[in-house]
Amino acid sequence: MRTAVFFHAHPDDEALLTAGTMAMLANEGHRVVLVVATAGERGLADLPHGEELGRARMDELHRSAAALGCARVVLLGYGDSGLAIDGGVADDRPDNAFIDADIEEAAQGLASVLKEEAADLLTIYDPAGGYGHPDHVQVYRVGSRAAEIAGTPIVLEATVDRDLLLKGVRLASRFYPAIDVRSFERAYSPRDAITHRVNVRKYAKAKRAAMAAHASQATGGAGDRTLGAMLKIPGFAYRFVFGTEWYVRRGLPRGTRLRHPFDGSPQATP
């Protein structure tokens, strides 16, 4: 049995990016630990920003974690930094906003969990923070440093195949012209940088249950919510759309194609 720690910025991030991998590892008998930096109390929802929303989202997080087979959930206790209209750092963020946290101090907090768990693997985000949310960028910075401090041997950056994503976005823009395709051109990671492609179709039900646990994020705001739209996808199509999770492990040759998070024997494609 090995231990994998999944580090995320807000409740529901784990369901969107790594839920299938988490369920797979738990099913294989490994210890899965979920760490979140914030309670997501400034996320878009029908409830107003603040403690009530934070409590609701933490309850949702624990339900998601149970559906995925997590052995432990840890909250680092930072404030949700929020997001400005232009996608940057919000001006009205709280005093303890995660984006303003001292990197070394925050990393020490996460490293203490990694050491306590004797973690074999840590997942973070790519340097862009996926789609660029400030708290996601901070997860990369803090997580990278925490792994150095704790000596965690495997660090995987949870991401999305940008090439595949752009194809889907361009197709969707034909029907929804308001979609800004350019905003996705630097999001996540290019295909040739991805080292791990994990097949999680077998765990689609667990992943869907994790998404459904975050009910507060399926509604709210003027437009359609991404999570709500994902949950409307029929089961057979859901397994296809969300059947792969992608990761980048630094230091491996470009073109490496690995299939399991703990697989460290690279086999480069011709």
Side-chain angles (χ1 to χ4, degrees):
M1 183 180 71
R2 295 184 177 182
T3 298
V5 175
F6 290 77
F7 183 35
H8 287 281
H10 318 98
D12 88 342
D13 290 331
E14 85 292 340
L16 298 171
L17 279 175
T18 65
T21 306
M22 296 166 76
M24 180 186 76
L25 292 178
N27 185 67
E28 291 175 351
H30 302 293
R31 180 173 173 83
V32 176
V33 176
L34 174 57
V35 180
V36 290
T38 81
E41 69 277 8
R42 289 171 57 78
L44 183 60
D46 289 330
L47 289 172
H49 288 171
E51 291 185 10
E52 182 182 1
L53 177 57
R55 286 194 298 270
R57 296 195 67 183
M58 286 304 297
D59 287 342
E60 292 172 346
L61 182 74
H62 281 279
R63 287 195 290 273
S64 170
L68 299 176
C70 294
R72 181 185 180 190
V73 178
V74 179
L75 175 65
L76 293 187
Y78 290 99
D80 185 346
S81 304
L83 196 63
I85 295 176
D86 63 359
V89 180
D91 292 329
D92 59 343
R93 58 189 182 276
D95 293 338
N96 67 334
F98 185 47
I99 190 60
D100 296 323
D102 179 79
I103 301 294
E104 195 68 19
E105 180 181 311
Q108 289 287 353
L110 176 58
S112 68
V113 177
L114 297 175
K115 292 176 182 178
E116 181 181 348
E117 292 288 347
D120 301 282
L121 179 151
L122 171 68
T123 73
I124 54 176
Y125 304 139
D126 55 35
Y131 64 94
H133 191 296
D135 281 341
H136 288 221
V137 176
Q138 190 77 325
V139 161
Y140 169 78
R141 296 168 180 160
V142 171
S144 299
R145 178 60 183 138
E148 291 178 355
I149 296 170
T152 304
I154 300 174
V155 179
L156 299 182
E157 299 170 8
T159 189
V160 172
D161 181 335
R162 183 194 297 164
D163 303 61
L164 186 61
L165 177 64
L166 282 172
K167 286 182 180 179
V169 170
R170 286 169 181 146
L171 177 62
S173 67
R174 297 179 184 178
F175 305 95
Y176 302 96
I179 294 177
D180 182 8
V181 176
R182 292 174 301 176
S183 66
F184 292 90
E185 291 178 349
R186 294 184 178 276
Y188 298 101
S189 303
R191 179 171 297 171
D192 66 350
I194 293 172
T195 58
H196 291 66
R197 296 156 179 83
V198 183
N199 185 338
V200 297
R201 291 184 185 179
K202 183 179 177 181
Y203 305 95
K205 287 185 178 179
K207 183 167 182 172
R208 192 171 191 134
M211 286 187 180
H214 295 283
S216 70
Q217 299 305 290
T219 59
D224 294 335
R225 298 298 306 279
T226 301
L227 184 60
M230 289 176 174
L231 289 170
K232 293 178 182 178
I233 298 175
F236 69 93
Y238 184 96
R239 288 191 295 274
F240 175 76
V241 174
F242 299 106
T244 302
E245 291 177 348
W246 298 271
Y247 300 90
V248 175
R249 183 174 177 182
R250 301 288 165 180
L252 296 181
R254 207 89 167 174
T256 295
R257 298 179 68 89
L258 301 176
R259 302 298 182 186
H260 192 280
F262 288 127
D263 190 352
S265 302
Q267 294 181 345
T269 55

Short mmCIF file of all heavy atoms in Angstrom, two decimals, residues 68-113:
data_model
loop_
_atom_site.label_atom_id
_atom_site.label_comp_id
_atom_site.label_asym_id
_atom_site.label_seq_id
_atom_site.Cartn_x
_atom_site.Cartn_y
_atom_site.Cartn_z
N LEU A 68 -15.23 8.91 -3.07
CA LEU A 68 -13.98 8.53 -3.74
C LEU A 68 -13.13 7.58 -2.93
O LEU A 68 -12.11 7.09 -3.42
CB LEU A 68 -13.18 9.80 -4.06
CG LEU A 68 -13.87 10.80 -5.00
CD1 LEU A 68 -13.02 12.05 -5.15
CD2 LEU A 68 -14.16 10.17 -6.35
N GLY A 69 -13.51 7.33 -1.68
CA GLY A 69 -12.76 6.41 -0.85
C GLY A 69 -11.58 7.03 -0.13
O GLY A 69 -10.65 6.31 0.26
N CYS A 70 -11.61 8.35 0.08
CA CYS A 70 -10.51 9.01 0.77
C CYS A 70 -10.44 8.57 2.23
O CYS A 70 -11.46 8.41 2.90
CB CYS A 70 -10.68 10.53 0.72
SG CYS A 70 -10.53 11.22 -0.94
N ALA A 71 -9.22 8.43 2.72
CA ALA A 71 -9.01 8.03 4.11
C ALA A 71 -8.96 9.24 5.04
O ALA A 71 -9.21 9.11 6.24
CB ALA A 71 -7.71 7.24 4.23
N ARG A 72 -8.66 10.42 4.49
CA ARG A 72 -8.49 11.60 5.33
C ARG A 72 -8.71 12.86 4.50
O ARG A 72 -8.35 12.89 3.32
CB ARG A 72 -7.09 11.62 5.94
CG ARG A 72 -6.77 12.78 6.86
CD ARG A 72 -5.31 12.74 7.29
NE ARG A 72 -4.96 13.85 8.17
CZ ARG A 72 -3.72 14.17 8.53
NH1 ARG A 72 -2.70 13.44 8.09
NH2 ARG A 72 -3.48 15.20 9.32
N VAL A 73 -9.29 13.87 5.12
CA VAL A 73 -9.47 15.19 4.49
C VAL A 73 -8.83 16.23 5.40
O VAL A 73 -9.09 16.25 6.61
CB VAL A 73 -10.96 15.53 4.27
CG1 VAL A 73 -11.11 16.93 3.67
CG2 VAL A 73 -11.62 14.50 3.36
N VAL A 74 -8.01 17.09 4.82
CA VAL A 74 -7.30 18.13 5.60
C VAL A 74 -7.59 19.49 4.98
O VAL A 74 -7.48 19.67 3.76
CB VAL A 74 -5.78 17.89 5.60
CG1 VAL A 74 -5.07 18.99 6.39
CG2 VAL A 74 -5.44 16.52 6.16
N LEU A 75 -7.97 20.46 5.81
CA LEU A 75 -8.15 21.84 5.38
C LEU A 75 -7.01 22.68 5.93
O LEU A 75 -6.79 22.72 7.13
CB LEU A 75 -9.49 22.39 5.89
CG LEU A 75 -9.77 23.87 5.62
CD1 LEU A 75 -9.88 24.15 4.12
CD2 LEU A 75 -11.05 24.33 6.33
N LEU A 76 -6.26 23.34 5.05
CA LEU A 76 -5.14 24.17 5.50
C LEU A 76 -5.61 25.45 6.16
O LEU A 76 -4.85 26.07 6.93
CB LEU A 76 -4.20 24.49 4.33
CG LEU A 76 -3.43 23.30 3.73
CD1 LEU A 76 -2.42 23.81 2.70
CD2 LEU A 76 -2.73 22.49 4.80
N GLY A 77 -6.82 25.91 5.86
CA GLY A 77 -7.40 27.02 6.60
C GLY A 77 -7.17 28.41 6.02
O GLY A 77 -7.41 29.41 6.70
N TYR A 78 -6.73 28.50 4.78
CA TYR A 78 -6.55 29.82 4.16
C TYR A 78 -7.88 30.33 3.61
O TYR A 78 -8.81 29.56 3.36
CB TYR A 78 -5.51 29.75 3.04
CG TYR A 78 -4.11 29.54 3.57
CD1 TYR A 78 -3.53 28.26 3.58
CD2 TYR A 78 -3.37 30.60 4.08
CE1 TYR A 78 -2.26 28.06 4.09
CE2 TYR A 78 -2.08 30.40 4.59
CZ TYR A 78 -1.53 29.13 4.58
OH TYR A 78 -0.28 28.93 5.09
N GLY A 79 -7.94 31.65 3.40
CA GLY A 79 -9.14 32.24 2.84
C GLY A 79 -9.16 32.09 1.32
O GLY A 79 -8.13 32.16 0.66
N ASP A 80 -10.35 31.89 0.79
CA ASP A 80 -10.55 31.84 -0.65
C ASP A 80 -10.23 33.21 -1.23
O ASP A 80 -10.82 34.22 -0.84
CB ASP A 80 -12.01 31.45 -0.93
CG ASP A 80 -12.32 31.24 -2.40
OD1 ASP A 80 -11.50 31.64 -3.25
OD2 ASP A 80 -13.40 30.71 -2.70
N SER A 81 -9.30 33.27 -2.17
CA SER A 81 -8.86 34.56 -2.72
C SER A 81 -9.88 35.19 -3.66
O SER A 81 -9.80 36.39 -3.96
CB SER A 81 -7.53 34.39 -3.46
OG SER A 81 -6.56 33.82 -2.62
N GLY A 82 -10.82 34.39 -4.14
CA GLY A 82 -11.80 34.93 -5.07
C GLY A 82 -11.18 35.18 -6.44
O GLY A 82 -10.02 34.88 -6.69
N LEU A 83 -11.99 35.77 -7.31
CA LEU A 83 -11.55 35.98 -8.68
C LEU A 83 -12.13 37.28 -9.19
O LEU A 83 -13.32 37.55 -9.05
CB LEU A 83 -12.03 34.83 -9.56
CG LEU A 83 -11.41 34.64 -10.93
CD1 LEU A 83 -9.91 34.34 -10.81
CD2 LEU A 83 -12.11 33.51 -11.68
N ALA A 84 -11.26 38.13 -9.77
CA ALA A 84 -11.71 39.39 -10.34
C ALA A 84 -12.48 39.12 -11.64
O ALA A 84 -12.39 38.04 -12.22
CB ALA A 84 -10.52 40.30 -10.63
N ILE A 85 -13.24 40.11 -12.09
CA ILE A 85 -14.04 39.96 -13.31
C ILE A 85 -13.16 39.59 -14.50
O ILE A 85 -13.55 38.81 -15.37
CB ILE A 85 -14.83 41.25 -13.60
CG1 ILE A 85 -15.86 41.49 -12.47
CG2 ILE A 85 -15.53 41.17 -14.94
CD1 ILE A 85 -16.62 42.77 -12.61
N ASP A 86 -11.94 40.15 -14.54
CA ASP A 86 -11.04 39.88 -15.66
C ASP A 86 -10.25 38.59 -15.48
O ASP A 86 -9.38 38.26 -16.30
CB ASP A 86 -10.08 41.05 -15.86
CG ASP A 86 -9.16 41.28 -14.66
OD1 ASP A 86 -9.28 40.54 -13.66
OD2 ASP A 86 -8.32 42.20 -14.73
N GLY A 87 -10.57 37.83 -14.42
CA GLY A 87 -9.89 36.57 -14.18
C GLY A 87 -8.64 36.68 -13.33
O GLY A 87 -7.99 35.68 -13.05
N GLY A 88 -8.29 37.89 -12.90
CA GLY A 88 -7.10 38.10 -12.09
C GLY A 88 -7.40 38.04 -10.61
O GLY A 88 -8.45 37.55 -10.17
N VAL A 89 -6.48 38.59 -9.82
CA VAL A 89 -6.62 38.58 -8.36
C VAL A 89 -7.65 39.61 -7.93
O VAL A 89 -7.62 40.77 -8.36
CB VAL A 89 -5.26 38.89 -7.69
CG1 VAL A 89 -5.40 38.89 -6.18
CG2 VAL A 89 -4.22 37.87 -8.13
N ALA A 90 -8.58 39.21 -7.09
CA ALA A 90 -9.63 40.12 -6.62
C ALA A 90 -9.06 41.14 -5.63
O ALA A 90 -8.20 40.81 -4.82
CB ALA A 90 -10.74 39.31 -5.95
N ASP A 91 -9.55 42.37 -5.70
CA ASP A 91 -9.08 43.42 -4.80
C ASP A 91 -9.68 43.28 -3.40
O ASP A 91 -9.08 43.69 -2.41
CB ASP A 91 -9.45 44.80 -5.36
CG ASP A 91 -8.65 45.13 -6.62
OD1 ASP A 91 -7.51 44.65 -6.74
OD2 ASP A 91 -9.19 45.84 -7.49
N ASP A 92 -10.87 42.69 -3.31
CA ASP A 92 -11.58 42.61 -2.04
C ASP A 92 -11.36 41.27 -1.34
O ASP A 92 -12.21 40.79 -0.60
CB ASP A 92 -13.08 42.85 -2.24
CG ASP A 92 -13.70 41.83 -3.20
OD1 ASP A 92 -12.94 41.17 -3.94
OD2 ASP A 92 -14.94 41.71 -3.20
N ARG A 93 -10.21 40.66 -1.56
CA ARG A 93 -9.94 39.35 -0.95
C ARG A 93 -9.71 39.49 0.55
O ARG A 93 -9.33 40.56 1.04
CB ARG A 93 -8.73 38.70 -1.61
CG ARG A 93 -7.44 39.52 -1.56
CD ARG A 93 -6.38 38.87 -2.45
NE ARG A 93 -5.10 39.58 -2.41
CZ ARG A 93 -4.81 40.64 -3.15
NH1 ARG A 93 -5.70 41.13 -4.00
NH2 ARG A 93 -3.62 41.21 -3.05
N PRO A 94 -9.90 38.41 1.31
CA PRO A 94 -9.74 38.47 2.77
C PRO A 94 -8.28 38.61 3.18
O PRO A 94 -7.36 38.38 2.39
CB PRO A 94 -10.32 37.13 3.23
CG PRO A 94 -10.13 36.22 2.06
CD PRO A 94 -10.34 37.09 0.85
N ASP A 95 -8.05 38.97 4.45
CA ASP A 95 -6.69 39.19 4.95
C ASP A 95 -5.85 37.92 4.89
O ASP A 95 -4.63 37.99 4.74
CB ASP A 95 -6.74 39.70 6.40
CG ASP A 95 -7.34 41.10 6.50
OD1 ASP A 95 -7.31 41.82 5.48
OD2 ASP A 95 -7.83 41.46 7.57
N ASN A 96 -6.50 36.76 5.04
CA ASN A 96 -5.75 35.49 5.03
C ASN A 96 -5.86 34.78 3.69
O ASN A 96 -5.77 33.55 3.61
CB ASN A 96 -6.25 34.57 6.15
CG ASN A 96 -7.68 34.08 5.91
OD1 ASN A 96 -8.46 34.75 5.23
ND2 ASN A 96 -8.02 32.94 6.47
N ALA A 97 -6.09 35.53 2.62
CA ALA A 97 -6.25 34.94 1.29
C ALA A 97 -5.06 34.05 0.94
O ALA A 97 -3.90 34.40 1.20
CB ALA A 97 -6.41 36.04 0.24
N PHE A 98 -5.36 32.93 0.35
CA PHE A 98 -4.31 31.96 0.02
C PHE A 98 -3.27 32.57 -0.92
O PHE A 98 -2.08 32.30 -0.79
CB PHE A 98 -4.95 30.72 -0.61
CG PHE A 98 -3.99 29.60 -0.90
CD1 PHE A 98 -3.06 29.18 0.05
CD2 PHE A 98 -4.00 28.96 -2.12
CE1 PHE A 98 -2.17 28.15 -0.22
CE2 PHE A 98 -3.12 27.93 -2.41
CZ PHE A 98 -2.20 27.52 -1.46
N ILE A 99 -3.71 33.41 -1.85
CA ILE A 99 -2.77 33.99 -2.82
C ILE A 99 -1.75 34.89 -2.14
O ILE A 99 -0.64 35.10 -2.65
CB ILE A 99 -3.53 34.77 -3.92
CG1 ILE A 99 -2.60 35.18 -5.06
CG2 ILE A 99 -4.24 35.97 -3.33
CD1 ILE A 99 -1.94 34.04 -5.77
N ASP A 100 -2.09 35.41 -0.95
CA ASP A 100 -1.17 36.30 -0.22
C ASP A 100 -0.33 35.57 0.81
O ASP A 100 0.49 36.18 1.49
CB ASP A 100 -1.97 37.41 0.47
CG ASP A 100 -2.68 38.32 -0.51
OD1 ASP A 100 -2.11 38.60 -1.58
OD2 ASP A 100 -3.82 38.75 -0.23
N ALA A 101 -0.53 34.27 0.93
CA ALA A 101 0.20 33.50 1.95
C ALA A 101 1.68 33.44 1.62
O ALA A 101 2.08 33.41 0.46
CB ALA A 101 -0.36 32.08 2.02
N ASP A 102 2.51 33.44 2.66
CA ASP A 102 3.94 33.25 2.49
C ASP A 102 4.18 31.83 1.98
O ASP A 102 3.71 30.86 2.59
CB ASP A 102 4.65 33.46 3.83
CG ASP A 102 6.15 33.25 3.72
OD1 ASP A 102 6.84 34.15 3.25
OD2 ASP A 102 6.60 32.14 4.10
N ILE A 103 4.87 31.70 0.86
CA ILE A 103 5.06 30.40 0.23
C ILE A 103 5.72 29.40 1.17
O ILE A 103 5.27 28.26 1.32
CB ILE A 103 5.91 30.53 -1.06
CG1 ILE A 103 5.25 31.48 -2.07
CG2 ILE A 103 6.15 29.16 -1.68
CD1 ILE A 103 3.94 30.98 -2.61
N GLU A 104 6.77 29.85 1.84
CA GLU A 104 7.51 28.94 2.72
C GLU A 104 6.64 28.48 3.89
O GLU A 104 6.65 27.30 4.25
CB GLU A 104 8.78 29.62 3.23
CG GLU A 104 9.79 28.68 3.86
CD GLU A 104 10.43 27.74 2.86
OE1 GLU A 104 10.40 28.03 1.64
OE2 GLU A 104 10.98 26.71 3.29
N GLU A 105 5.91 29.40 4.47
CA GLU A 105 5.05 29.06 5.60
C GLU A 105 3.96 28.08 5.19
O GLU A 105 3.70 27.08 5.87
CB GLU A 105 4.43 30.33 6.18
CG GLU A 105 3.51 30.09 7.36
CD GLU A 105 2.91 31.39 7.88
OE1 GLU A 105 3.67 32.36 8.09
OE2 GLU A 105 1.67 31.44 8.05
N ALA A 106 3.30 28.37 4.06
CA ALA A 106 2.23 27.49 3.59
C ALA A 106 2.79 26.12 3.21
O ALA A 106 2.18 25.08 3.47
CB ALA A 106 1.52 28.12 2.40
N ALA A 107 3.98 26.13 2.59
CA ALA A 107 4.60 24.88 2.19
C ALA A 107 4.96 24.02 3.41
O ALA A 107 4.83 22.79 3.37
CB ALA A 107 5.84 25.16 1.35
N GLN A 108 5.39 24.66 4.48
CA GLN A 108 5.71 23.92 5.69
C GLN A 108 4.47 23.23 6.24
O GLN A 108 4.53 22.10 6.73
CB GLN A 108 6.30 24.86 6.75
CG GLN A 108 7.71 25.36 6.44
CD GLN A 108 8.79 24.29 6.63
OE1 GLN A 108 8.51 23.19 7.12
NE2 GLN A 108 10.02 24.62 6.24
N GLY A 109 3.32 23.93 6.16
CA GLY A 109 2.06 23.34 6.63
C GLY A 109 1.69 22.10 5.83
O GLY A 109 1.29 21.07 6.39
N LEU A 110 1.80 22.19 4.51
CA LEU A 110 1.51 21.02 3.67
C LEU A 110 2.55 19.93 3.85
O LEU A 110 2.23 18.74 3.90
CB LEU A 110 1.44 21.44 2.20
CG LEU A 110 1.22 20.32 1.18
CD1 LEU A 110 -0.07 19.56 1.46
CD2 LEU A 110 1.21 20.89 -0.24
N ALA A 111 3.81 20.33 3.99
CA ALA A 111 4.89 19.36 4.17
C ALA A 111 4.69 18.54 5.44
O ALA A 111 5.05 17.35 5.48
CB ALA A 111 6.24 20.06 4.20
N SER A 112 4.13 19.16 6.47
CA SER A 112 3.89 18.42 7.71
C SER A 112 2.90 17.28 7.47
O SER A 112 3.04 16.20 8.07
CB SER A 112 3.38 19.36 8.80
OG SER A 112 2.08 19.83 8.51
N VAL A 113 1.92 17.51 6.61
CA VAL A 113 0.97 16.45 6.26
C VAL A 113 1.68 15.37 5.45
O VAL A 113 1.49 14.17 5.69
CB VAL A 113 -0.22 17.02 5.46
CG1 VAL A 113 -1.17 15.89 5.03
CG2 VAL A 113 -0.97 18.07 6.27
#
